[in-house]
Amino acid sequence: MKSYLLASLAILLACCFVGTAFAADSGSGEMEMLVFPEAYKAMKVNNGGTISGVVKFEGDVPEKAALEITKDEKVCGADPKFDESLVVGEGNALKNTIVYLIDISAGKDFDEKAKTEIDQKGCKFTPHVQIVPVGARLTMLNSDKIMHNVHIFSKINKPVNKAQPKARRKMPLKAVKKAEGPVEVKCDVHGWMSAWVSYVPHPYFAVTNEKGEFTLEDVPAGEYKLGYWHEACGTNSKAPVAVTVEAGGTVTQDFTLKMK
Amino acid sequence: MRIRTIALLLILFGMLVGFNFAHAQNAPEASEKGKQVYENSCAHCHGIEGRGDGSAAENLLPKPRDFTRGLYKIRSTETGQLPTDQDLFDIITEGMPGSSMPPWDTALSANDRWEVVAYIKTFYDGFKEAETPPKQINLSGKVPYAEQSVETGKALYTELGCVECHGDVGRGDGTSAPDLTDEWGFQSWPANLTQGWNFRGGSDTEDIFKRFIGGLAGSAMPAFEGDSFPGFGLTAEESSRMIELDNKDEMTEAEEEESAQLYEKYDAAVDIAVNLAEGTELSAEEKQIYDDAMSVVYEKSWHLANYVKSLMPEKRPEPAIGNNVLRSQYIQGELPEMDDAAWETLEASYFPLVGQVVIEPRQFNPTIDAVNVKSYYNDTEVAFLFIWDDRTHTTDETDEETGKTLEDALAIQFPVKVPQGPTAPKPYFLWGGRLPVYLWHWKASAPDQVTELTAKGINNAGVQEAQGELQAQGTYTNGQYKLWVKRALKTDDKKDLQLESGVFVPIAFSAWDGANGDVDTKRVMTSWYTFVLEPVPSSKRFIYPPLIALLSVGFLFGLRAFVQRRNSEEA
Ligand SMILES: [Cu+2]
């Protein structure tokens, strides 16, 4: 017993002496965030304009390496899985970029029919980047018939850490109250599973498709700051692009992003 | 007489009432006093601003709690709720086993502890903003511990996916165990459910139930309250039926229909639960559905808690000192092989391991609790069985920082020469020094081999040139290593330990968990313990005592002769 106590004491003492100044850097730490307006008012938008464009990637595209599937091989390893933090398509099209209006204070309401779901299929989250209106439920689907564990690393809202056993095909999550994001969604059972969710206060958010395309519709005429966010390329929050939208008109704004 | 009885009853009653009051206490308003106590006693680890980043935090895992996010693991309250003041007070008072948080019951007065509770609440605005007190977990439906309940709990353990992280028999060795992180991105190992003494919030069935229902906020452990249960809103029979149908490869049309209906009921109940969580007022009918569903959930959770309780011994084993010293048992004939049932009948001696923190690089965050040892010997040989839990089987991993190869390993340490008598000096416990030590070194990558080493210090060990005839066999199953070693009692090698019945021999251990970054001096270990070849060979019982008596007499005569001679010389 004595040696046991002594060793414990040694640990305590060592903690006191060895401790050095230390800045917390919690790995997933300083992700760049979206910028939200202080207030937003929903109203009817007549003869709004459209902002559209294409997001491209510039630079060497790292070779696609299949993720290592370490468990549930039958379900998860049926087809190869790739890291989706940088998906570059034909003509350098950059998928999964959020393009949005930073400073809009009034505009259309959310489309109630828009689905706010993330499916877990083949041990992969689809889509990889999801937009969820504040006050709406994010519904987690489980098409795999195995257990997943939905872990959403929110900081402003309460983090979510909820098991989704195999019989839970559909798991609606409680709506959040505050705008936040993007925050990472992970599965603790399958460490490689990763997605991003943004809880947003207005509907002027778009996520680029395989062709790198985005469209923001029904934008009230006016001047706006146009922002983007990409998991691997970061944001332009500090120097957003100014766009002027005319009633019924279309503005084209393309982006070329580099690795941050 | 009667008056005294009444007085006694009154006192007892008073104590009970007092006790109850103590368990509903709230913290005072935050004050300068609380700040002072906090900064003196807590800030070192938890930081001046409560962010869990005090100067000592770097080396600790689990990390000191960051108080600014209102996430507390050990609570008596439901999922997503803040802890009660009493919860915070209890943690400060009792500490958190298995972490660096010590109990403060003697270092701080109760008053100071309450002041600290009040002060740490100021780090998170949610405490001030909360309009209602946190909702406490209802413990009233406790299901008594019984075999049937344990069985039901066992089925749930698999159904709910506990097994993914905590492993088949609960040793924290599930296939997902190495990938878990907490809310701050730090590694978060699942609990070894067979070691209740390391549970941060205690290991009573009630504690287990509360952790399960409420979740350990901030850790990788999800909460299982309410609608997390498959078949929420269904009766126990209905949910088993739902799962049964799910597991069928093909369903008939009628079964499809039945399954769809069950899922419909399930989805409807989930919807009600989410509505409630979002703050929607429920209708009387909805409330009934919800309450019924929750009573099923609570009952299942008690079964699960009973099952988890069944996985652990009643209390932590006593370390191998005093009456529990490792005593190798004499048997005649062949020593048992590794899988021999003879090992089952032996009680293991328990050697708790602690992080090596004397020499860089140190291990502040041990993951191996202890090594358990059994031993037999016969007239020529000794056999040991070493048993220890390790969540991961690591044989060849590269340390990202140092580039070193990480693997699980164990070393058993003896002095080269047994000290003569209890006060004679032993070699330095950290692998010797001026006095050398003799070691058996085992590595997971070569499980059926033990290497003999001689060491004169933790960084001064060498493989013996003459490797003796040691037999070894190592296995890893369900998060547990077993190593069997057999050696002759006597060898020809002067660098080896020679064993003799009845002699107390110092013994010590080092263990490495590769997945925890253990390598070289970064390891867990014990200080010196002792073991003895228990001298109770019944056939020799009639030879030894007379022999010892004779020797004693001889010794006395010798002594007398010696004293007489010295006396005569002096004279
Ligand atoms: Cu998963």
Side-chain angles (χ1 to χ4, degrees):
Chain A
M1 197 63 196
K2 210 164 104 199
S3 58
Y4 189 25
L5 279 177
L6 268 176
S8 314
L9 196 71
I11 291 187
L12 277 177
L13 279 175
C15 292
C16 301
F17 292 118
V18 173
T20 46
F22 154 71
D25 176 25
S26 55
S28 60
E30 299 317 306
M31 194 64 211
E32 287 174 87
M33 296 294 191
L34 298 170
V35 182
F36 305 113
E38 269 174 28
Y40 182 76
K41 205 173 133 252
M43 59 176 195
K44 193 153 175 48
V45 177
N46 291 317
N47 201 21
T50 300
I51 307 170
S52 66
V54 176
V55 180
K56 293 198 166 177
F57 179 74
E58 188 185 296
D60 296 331
V61 182
E63 207 173 313
K64 257 174 126 184
L67 294 170
E68 200 189 339
I69 304 302
T70 47
K71 66 175 290 180
D72 294 328
E73 280 86 356
K74 249 194 202 156
V75 177
C76 308
D79 48 10
K81 300 273 160 340
F82 299 97
D83 174 24
E84 290 189 290
S85 63
L86 184 72
V87 181
V88 180
E90 232 172 278
N92 281 345
L94 187 59
K95 198 185 170 187
N96 292 331
T97 315
I98 299 175
V99 181
Y100 70 110
L101 295 181
I102 288 182
D103 55 349
I104 190 161
S105 57
K108 67 175 171 182
D109 206 347
F110 285 106
D111 175 6
E112 276 187 13
K113 278 173 272 165
K115 283 213 165 139
T116 50
E117 296 174 341
I118 295 180
D119 193 7
Q120 298 161 96
K121 195 172 182 187
C123 307
K124 185 182 130 170
F125 291 117
T126 312
H128 182 65
V129 174
Q130 181 60 290
I131 303 290
V132 177
V134 168
R137 286 175 190 172
L138 168 63
T139 298
M140 301 302 299
L141 305 178
N142 181 357
S143 306
D144 277 342
K145 286 201 167 181
I146 57 168
M147 162 146 172
H148 293 291
N149 188 73
V150 178
H151 202 153
I152 306 181
F153 290 77
S154 304
K155 295 214 159 59
I156 296 169
N157 294 290
K158 276 249 149 66
V160 174
N161 182 5
K162 222 170 165 176
Q164 189 160 10
K166 59 181 179 183
R168 290 221 62 180
R169 297 174 192 174
K170 200 168 113 188
M171 184 165 81
L173 300 174
K174 178 174 134 172
V176 307
K177 295 201 174 104
K178 292 171 188 161
E180 173 177 23
V183 289
E184 195 166 14
V185 184
K186 302 275 294 171
C187 169
D188 296 310
V189 182
H190 310 101
W192 65 85
M193 292 174 69
S194 164
W196 295 87
V197 59
S198 302
Y199 302 105
V200 301
H202 65 78
Y204 297 100
F205 287 81
V207 182
T208 57
N209 58 19
E210 291 82 14
K211 294 177 184 161
E213 299 163 341
F214 71 90
T215 311
L216 297 169
E217 284 171 328
D218 306 316
V219 184
E223 276 182 31
Y224 300 99
K225 288 181 196 156
L226 190 63
Y228 67 75
W229 172 93
H230 185 274
E231 183 178 352
C233 302
T235 70
N236 65 343
S237 309
K238 281 182 189 137
V241 173
V243 288
T244 306
V245 177
E246 278 165 22
T250 296
V251 196
T252 304
Q253 177 66 54
D254 295 339
F255 292 96
T256 304
L257 311 191
K258 293 178 189 165
M259 284 289 246
K260 65 178 175 196
Chain B
M1 194 63 186
R2 206 199 251 162
I3 292 172
R4 263 172 60 187
T5 312
I6 290 170
L8 197 72
L9 279 174
L10 273 175
I11 290 169
L12 273 173
F13 180 71
M15 277 164 68
L16 279 173
V17 170
F19 185 75
N20 278 336
F21 273 136
H23 264 259
Q25 204 165 327
N26 284 322
E29 288 291 305
S31 71
E32 194 52 37
K33 173 75 181 158
K35 183 173 193 285
Q36 207 178 31
V37 177
Y38 177 85
E39 286 176 2
N40 281 335
S41 301
C42 320
H44 201 68
C45 290
H46 292 283
I48 290 285
E49 285 161 20
R51 279 200 279 261
D53 59 352
S55 58
E58 184 181 12
N59 293 310
L60 305 179
L61 201 83
K63 292 287 167 193
R65 183 88 327 189
D66 166 359
F67 298 130
T68 62
R69 291 180 59 193
L71 298 172
Y72 288 90
K73 283 198 275 203
I74 309 305
R75 310 177 327 277
S76 63
T77 60
E78 290 184 357
T79 315
Q81 299 277 312
L82 289 168
T84 63
D85 290 0
Q86 188 70 49
D87 288 341
L88 296 174
F89 180 83
D90 289 346
I91 286 180
I92 295 170
T93 304
E94 289 155 26
M96 291 174 88
S99 83
S100 311
M101 174 75 178
W104 291 91
D105 53 344
T106 50
L108 294 178
S109 70
N111 208 29
D112 282 358
R113 278 175 268 146
W114 279 115
E115 294 286 352
V116 167
V117 169
Y119 187 66
I120 63 175
K121 285 170 69 184
T122 65
F123 291 127
Y124 180 65
D125 289 341
F127 281 106
K128 235 181 350 208
E129 289 161 7
E131 284 153 16
T132 48
K135 207 168 155 221
Q136 282 190 276
I137 294 168
N138 182 352
L139 299 174
S140 64
K142 182 174 177 180
V143 177
Y145 188 91
E147 208 174 307
Q148 186 53 49
S149 171
V150 169
E151 278 304 306
T152 312
K154 187 176 179 182
L156 283 161
Y157 183 80
T158 308
E159 187 183 308
L160 293 170
C162 311
V163 68
E164 308 284 347
C165 297
H166 293 284
D168 285 341
V169 296
R171 295 205 184 99
D173 61 316
T175 43
S176 296
D179 302 327
L180 306 180
T181 58
D182 68 10
E183 221 57 57
W184 290 265
F186 297 114
Q187 176 121 40
S188 170
W189 290 107
N192 180 334
L193 301 176
T194 67
Q195 295 169 352
W197 54 90
N198 285 327
F199 286 15
R200 312 283 186 264
S203 58
D204 291 344
T205 312
E206 284 84 354
D207 295 325
I208 298 165
F209 179 83
K210 281 189 271 187
R211 295 302 89 75
F212 179 69
I213 288 280
L216 289 111
S219 83
M221 169 79 185
F224 276 87
E225 192 201 17
D227 69 299
S228 280
F229 275 74
F232 180 76
L234 307 181
T235 63
E237 294 76 43
E238 284 172 332
S239 65
S240 333
R241 178 64 181 156
M242 183 189 84
I243 287 161
E244 188 188 333
L245 289 171
D246 266 359
N247 289 338
K248 288 201 167 184
D249 288 333
E250 248 174 89
M251 282 192 264
T252 65
E253 214 167 289
E255 284 171 339
E256 292 266 8
E257 174 70 14
E258 189 188 355
S259 171
Q261 270 176 12
L262 290 169
Y263 266 97
E264 208 172 296
K265 193 175 170 194
Y266 172 18
D267 285 344
V270 166
D271 213 45
I272 293 170
V274 182
N275 279 336
L276 182 72
E278 286 170 352
T280 312
E281 196 86 36
L282 300 186
S283 71
E285 192 195 344
E286 287 172 331
K287 179 128 194 353
Q288 191 58 50
I289 293 172
Y290 179 78
D291 288 347
D292 290 349
M294 284 308 281
S295 72
V296 175
V297 164
Y298 269 52
E299 195 196 313
K300 284 182 174 177
S301 302
W302 280 115
H303 294 314
L304 190 72
N306 281 333
Y307 172 64
V308 171
K309 188 73 193 164
S310 79
L311 297 173
M312 64 187 80
E314 248 172 71
K315 57 183 179 56
R316 184 178 199 170
E318 295 290 335
I321 49 165
N323 290 334
N324 303 310
V325 153
L326 172 59
R327 290 169 197 279
S328 186
Q329 299 299 310
Y330 178 83
I331 46 172
Q332 278 182 322
E334 276 297 298
L335 291 176
E337 297 287 314
M338 180 168 205
D339 299 322
D340 201 305
W343 293 110
E344 311 284 319
T345 57
L346 267 193
E347 191 83 35
S349 295
Y350 179 79
F351 298 87
L353 294 156
V354 292
Q356 189 285 115
V357 292
V358 182
I359 289 165
E360 277 285 358
R362 302 170 167 94
Q363 177 52 279
F364 291 98
N365 311 301
T367 44
I368 305 176
D369 177 71
V371 52
N372 294 280
V373 188
K374 302 175 178 188
S375 176
Y376 281 111
Y377 75 104
N378 60 19
D379 295 322
T380 52
E381 292 171 313
V382 61
F384 290 92
L385 191 62
F386 306 100
I387 305 162
W388 70 103
D389 288 6
D390 182 328
R391 293 179 179 85
T392 47
H393 182 227
T394 315
T395 53
D396 180 19
E397 224 165 80
T398 310
D399 187 19
E400 280 168 25
E401 271 173 49
T402 60
K404 284 182 179 165
T405 303
L406 302 175
E407 70 169 309
D408 298 335
L410 182 78
I412 301 110
Q413 168 182 317
F414 308 97
V416 174
K417 286 212 169 57
V418 178
Q420 303 297 304
T423 52
K426 290 181 215 134
Y428 187 42
F429 78 103
L430 284 174
W431 278 25
R434 191 177 51 80
L435 295 172
V437 296
Y438 164 67
L439 295 147
W440 294 344
H441 195 201
W442 175 87
K443 292 172 170 185
S445 58
D448 297 335
Q449 183 187 326
V450 162
T451 308
E452 289 179 302
L453 312 178
T454 308
K456 288 186 161 183
I458 199 160
N459 285 316
N460 188 9
V463 175
Q464 284 192 5
E465 267 171 43
Q467 287 292 317
E469 282 178 22
L470 265 86
Q471 288 182 47
Q473 198 184 341
T475 59
Y476 181 82
T477 343
N478 285 331
Q480 189 169 69
Y481 277 110
K482 279 188 181 164
L483 168 64
W484 173 89
V485 179
K486 190 166 87 171
R487 206 206 74 168
L489 295 177
K490 307 273 184 206
T491 71
D492 300 334
D493 193 338
K494 274 188 188 155
K495 289 178 173 164
D496 292 356
L497 167 77
Q498 307 301 324
L499 289 167
E500 213 166 306
S501 170
V503 176
F504 282 82
V505 179
I507 186 171
F509 302 90
S510 292
W512 292 262
D513 176 3
N516 195 35
D518 288 352
V519 63
D520 299 339
T521 61
K522 194 174 177 194
R523 61 171 84 169
V524 290
M525 59 187 308
T526 71
S527 177
W528 285 116
Y529 283 80
T530 47
F531 94 97
V532 60
L533 304 180
E534 182 84 333
V536 284
S538 52
S539 62
K540 291 182 182 170
R541 188 174 293 163
F542 304 105
I543 305 172
Y544 271 127
L547 195 71
I548 288 169
L550 250 166
L551 283 173
S552 309
V553 171
F555 173 75
L556 281 173
F557 272 106
L559 191 71
R560 202 179 69 174
F562 171 76
V563 171
Q564 278 174 350
R565 202 169 58 226
R566 225 172 67 167
N567 283 351
S568 61
E569 273 168 16
E570 274 172 18

